[in-house]
Amino acid sequence: MLGCMVKEQVVGPPHPPEGDACPGALRLHAADDGALARVRVPGGFVGAAQAAALGAAAQALGDGELHLTSRGNVQLRGLAPTCAAELERRLAAADLLPSRTHERVRNVVASPLTGLDGNGYADVRPWLRELDTLLCASKEAAALSGRFLFALDDGRGDVAALAPDITLRAIPDGGALLVLGRRAPLRISAAQAAPAALLAAETFLRAAAPTAAWRVKDLPDAGAALSTDLAHRLNAPTTEPPSQTAPPPPPGPIPTGPTTALCVLAPLGRLTPAQWHALTSLAERTPARELRLTPWRGVIVPSVPADRARAELAALAATGLATAADSPWLGVTACTGRPGCAKSHADVRADARATLPVAPAAPVTRAAPAGPATALLPVHWSGCARGCGRPRGGERVDVVAEPGGYRVDLVRQGRVHGSVRSGGPELAATVAAARRGALNG
């Protein structure tokens, strides 16, 4: 749906920053289950025809499944190393590869309900289009790491909470806030938003050059001098950070005026060919003709006629997608694990499935935090200590595979507040206790 306006002719894939091994659509990663390609989808907005092309490529060249990332991008797995040229051809034909030199740096998340439910202060899609175009036109920006993240928040505070490097956030008066890492926001006009975000990225690259930092938080001062420099160059005053935050869109129907948006979750971020086909086919029958991939491994189908919403949601549920706000899959994520990753100590996806539905909590040594009895902390299963795909910020449970078992960590504000080692029959109860805010140990 969205694409850069600049079409560049470059022979061979671009060289990434030294040491940056993030895969892309051109730079495939060798995994135990075959090659892996990561296709950037800025903002998570993908047209129905583009989605169909992704599904066809996955089935023709890979294992047939599509894997959603924590940045709303798509991964194809099980690819033959010799398929790179054919994959490039397919992606370019679908306008999913508008810039060969910048395809790995188009890491942009956006509020997935922006312009739909009326809860944001602005529709950030114009920012998204402009920023993507500016990024691809900037020769300097091609040097950004594949890990560098932009977030466009419509004011509700959903994607601003994902620890981005550069955040644009809409505010009630029609302006915007520019935030570098965790520094104080800079107040700018809406017209400045996308150009200011690009300027921030280019300025970061100059500041990072002597340090080899890949992200703002990696700078020696965590971006303090960078933020001060931008405030001067943009004539932008600093202001207090907004306190408003919003949870991810819940699975189920979301009223959007005369139509309905349907939100579903892909269990563990993996979509089977049947599930992807069901979503793509539904999108093709709506006026918007698009899917919105969320950073929480969900998919939103906008503009579904209200009188068809219940039947369409039931059809999606029949494929195994999570379609209800009380689904046991809510808040459960995992890395690839075995057999796809040689570094993994366990088949974490199978073990995560084995803990659902959530077992009764084990005896705890302290009371769980106050709140609804059904509220559970998100949990991420990792096959090793690297924690690929692990959520950032907030409270969560990390379940990390180790030789001989798992370590279950209760994380608050980036710090471990409780940790136990568990395995076998006790694992499900231990994870359930941690998700309720307590650990027996």
Side-chain angles (χ1 to χ4, degrees):
M1 181 69 71
L2 292 165
C4 305
M5 299 300 294
V6 177
K7 307 288 185 178
E8 296 172 293
Q9 300 297 322
V10 180
V11 178
H15 295 290
E18 186 176 355
D20 180 6
C22 282
L26 301 179
R27 188 170 182 265
L28 305 186
H29 169 73
D32 270 19
D33 58 349
L36 176 154
R38 184 176 298 161
V39 182
R40 267 62 177 191
V41 183
F45 291 73
V46 58
Q50 292 176 315
L54 281 170
Q59 292 198 65
L61 307 176
D63 63 9
E65 296 185 336
L66 293 102
H67 304 253
L68 304 184
T69 76
S70 59
R71 294 180 169 190
N73 294 318
V74 176
Q75 290 186 163
L76 309 184
R77 299 188 66 96
L79 300 167
T82 56
C83 81
E86 175 62 12
L87 177 62
E88 179 181 350
R89 184 193 69 78
R90 287 171 175 263
L91 296 178
D95 200 23
L96 288 163
L97 190 62
S99 171
R100 300 185 86 257
T101 53
H102 293 72
E103 61 95 6
R104 293 190 331 121
V105 306
R106 300 168 70 220
N107 288 309
V108 188
V109 294
S111 297
L113 290 174
T114 191
L116 291 179
D117 64 352
N119 287 337
Y121 296 126
D123 184 342
V124 299
R125 285 177 292 179
W127 292 353
L128 181 60
R129 287 188 286 267
E130 185 178 6
L131 176 59
D132 195 29
T133 298
L134 292 173
L135 266 178
C136 290
S138 167
K139 292 183 179 180
E140 196 170 0
L144 289 170
S145 161
R147 302 181 183 182
F148 198 89
L149 180 64
F150 297 85
L152 308 184
D153 194 301
D154 66 4
R156 71 186 72 210
D158 51 0
V159 295
L162 298 178
D165 295 281
I166 297 175
T167 304
L168 291 174
R169 182 164 178 167
I171 52 179
D173 67 1
L177 299 180
L178 174 68
V179 186
L180 281 297
R182 297 185 180 274
R183 312 313 305 181
L186 305 180
R187 191 183 185 92
I188 59 177
S189 69
Q192 287 179 291
L198 176 66
L199 175 64
E202 293 174 337
T203 307
F204 160 79
L205 285 168
R206 297 181 203 116
T211 68
W214 288 350
R215 305 195 62 186
V216 170
K217 66 181 179 63
D218 299 330
L219 292 170
D221 62 355
L226 177 62
S227 187
T228 299
D229 180 29
L230 285 169
H232 175 72
R233 296 175 68 177
L234 295 169
N235 191 27
T238 59
T239 186
E240 291 296 316
S243 58
Q244 180 179 354
T245 60
I254 301 171
T256 55
T259 62
T260 300
L262 300 185
C263 180
V264 300
L265 293 183
L268 300 179
R270 181 178 290 181
L271 289 158
T272 66
Q275 290 169 339
W276 189 254
H277 176 72
L279 289 164
T280 302
S281 297
L282 175 56
E284 288 174 341
R285 300 194 305 272
T286 66
R289 296 181 59 81
E290 72 174 8
L291 299 175
R292 298 187 179 190
L293 313 180
T294 80
W296 305 280
R297 296 176 173 87
V299 182
I300 292 174
V301 187
S303 69
V304 176
D307 61 351
R308 283 173 34 202
R310 174 178 287 188
E312 298 287 9
L313 197 62
L316 295 177
T319 69
L321 293 166
T323 60
D326 60 354
S327 168
W329 284 114
L330 197 64
V332 182
T333 56
C335 72
T336 297
R338 290 181 180 173
C341 178
K343 292 182 171 62
S344 180
H345 297 293
D347 186 345
V348 292
R349 292 175 182 265
D351 290 339
R353 286 180 182 275
T355 66
L356 301 177
V358 178
V364 297
T365 57
R366 56 184 175 80
T374 57
L376 297 174
L377 296 178
V379 57
H380 183 74
W381 294 71
S382 300
C384 70
R386 293 184 305 163
C388 295
R390 180 185 296 156
R392 304 298 180 205
E395 293 186 78
R396 68 175 188 273
V397 175
D398 286 340
V399 185
V400 183
E402 299 177 326
Y406 282 93
R407 188 185 74 247
V408 182
D409 295 336
L410 177 60
V411 180
R412 288 196 171 101
Q413 297 179 337
R415 300 180 63 182
V416 175
H417 281 253
S419 182
V420 299
R421 282 174 169 77
S422 182
E426 295 81 22
L427 180 60
T430 303
V431 172
R435 295 191 70 191
R436 292 175 60 178
L439 281 175
N440 185 23

